[in-house]
Amino acid sequence: ENREDMLNSKSNKLTEALEEANKLFSGVSCAREAALDAQFLVLASNLGKEKANELHSEMTAFDSPAFAEDLLTFMGLNRIEVEEKDSDNEGFSGGYLPSNAWHKLGAETEKYFRRAPSFHYMLGSFKSEPPVPRQRIERQKKATGREEKRAMPAQLKKMEESHQEATEKEVERILGLLQTHFKNDPDMPISFFDLVIDPNSFARTVENIFHVSFIIRDGFARLKLDEDKLPIIEPVKDDEGKEDDRSNLARNQAVISLSHQEWK
């Protein structure tokens, strides 16, 4: 409504409106109010742009043709047969530059640029010589015998089997402990964290979680949430496991993170 007053260069109403908007923005709590503030900001910026365009500065604009003409005059432009060339090419300043014109311009502009100090060797210049080519030594190919081919796969297979057997034994041991506890006290659920966390070893805790995951994956146990929304674990009976396999063909899996600080 006060557009003309705000565009007046002697008026400060636009600044006052911005200050009032800043005070009102501190109490914004709804999305509609924030949208109104954004709409006001767009309107204020447009008014500020128009106000800036109306300002008249007394600075002299840069005239590139006049600068080029002065530069040619400084470099010593020799104008010969200007009238003949002007008749052929209108607007073209005829003439030619002397041979030292660019050197003269460079000597003058050199005063206004900072130059890096030249680099000198303390013990004279180094003579660069090409590197001596190295003789290529051909490596002898190892004889691939039948015995070596048989030995390596056997060792790797033995290591993999031993590691796998150790994992299976640990999984069976934990499953046995879980089943034994429920036989003794079937109404008392086991907390998942009490089962897997070793208070004296972070690495052992991670291994326990890894081994228990196999028990849950194979359907020998399942996880539930108690009243406090904490996970509890219980073994699955044989009949229940078969029914679950028929009803749920694909089991859901999840990845959990456990840092050292959370373990503490």
Side-chain angles (χ1 to χ4, degrees):
E1 294 176 357
N2 302 326
R3 182 185 183 89
E4 296 180 357
D5 295 340
M6 289 188 175
L7 292 178
N8 189 1
S9 60
K10 298 180 180 180
S11 175
N12 294 326
K13 289 189 176 182
L14 183 59
T15 305
E16 295 174 358
L18 287 171
E19 293 176 354
E20 185 180 357
N22 287 334
K23 295 178 181 179
L24 294 175
F25 185 73
S26 60
V28 170
S29 59
C30 301
R32 177 57 183 165
E33 297 173 354
L36 288 173
D37 181 77
Q39 185 178 359
F40 164 75
L41 186 61
V42 172
L43 182 61
S45 61
N46 291 333
L47 290 174
K49 182 180 178 181
E50 293 182 14
K51 191 172 182 179
N53 291 332
E54 291 180 0
L55 295 176
H56 299 284
S57 60
E58 297 179 357
M59 297 178 60
T60 305
F62 178 74
D63 190 359
S64 54
F67 174 74
E69 189 68 25
D70 294 340
L71 192 62
L72 291 172
T73 304
F74 173 78
M75 295 170 67
L77 178 67
N78 189 1
R79 303 178 185 275
I80 299 176
E81 300 178 355
V82 178
E83 297 178 356
E84 295 181 1
K85 292 185 178 180
D86 286 344
S87 61
D88 298 336
N89 300 323
E90 294 182 357
F92 178 78
S93 127
Y96 64 90
L97 293 173
S99 59
N100 63 340
W102 290 105
H103 294 283
K104 185 178 179 181
L105 179 62
E108 181 65 24
T109 56
E110 187 179 3
K111 304 175 184 178
Y112 305 101
F113 290 92
R114 293 182 180 180
R115 297 184 60 189
S118 59
F119 180 75
H120 298 283
Y121 292 100
M122 296 177 63
L123 301 176
S125 60
F126 292 99
K127 295 181 180 180
S128 59
E129 297 179 356
V132 180
R134 295 181 180 180
Q135 295 181 356
R136 186 175 181 180
I137 301 175
E138 295 183 358
R139 296 182 180 179
Q140 297 180 355
K141 295 182 180 180
K142 295 182 179 180
T144 55
R146 294 182 179 179
E147 296 180 356
E148 293 181 359
K149 289 183 178 179
R150 292 178 181 176
M152 286 301 294
Q155 292 176 2
L156 291 176
K157 187 176 182 180
K158 187 176 182 181
M159 290 172 61
E160 292 176 356
E161 289 178 354
S162 62
H163 181 70
Q164 186 176 0
E165 289 176 358
T167 303
E168 291 177 355
K169 289 180 181 179
E170 187 65 18
V171 171
E172 292 176 358
R173 186 183 71 85
I174 296 176
L175 179 59
L177 294 174
L178 187 64
Q179 293 174 348
T180 302
H181 173 78
F182 266 82
K183 285 181 181 179
N184 298 331
D185 192 358
D187 298 330
M188 185 65 182
I190 297 180
S191 172
F192 174 74
F193 295 118
D194 292 342
L195 177 68
V196 298
I197 292 179
D198 187 345
N200 299 321
S201 174
F202 175 70
R204 185 64 179 168
T205 301
V206 176
E207 291 179 358
N208 290 340
I209 296 175
F210 173 71
H211 292 140
V212 172
S213 66
F214 287 101
I215 300 175
I216 298 174
R217 183 200 65 179
D218 296 336
F220 294 107
R222 59 189 170 192
L223 286 175
K224 293 182 178 180
L225 294 179
D226 59 3
E227 297 177 354
D228 298 329
K229 300 298 181 180
L230 295 176
I232 58 175
I233 186 171
E234 61 180 10
V236 178
K237 297 179 181 179
D238 295 337
D239 298 338
E240 294 177 356
K242 292 179 181 178
E243 292 177 0
D244 291 342
D245 289 340
R246 293 173 182 175
S247 59
N248 301 325
L249 297 177
R251 295 186 177 90
N252 296 325
Q253 294 181 345
V255 179
I256 64 173
S257 64
L258 180 67
S259 65
H260 196 269
Q261 186 66 26
E262 291 172 342
W263 167 76
K264 284 187 176 181

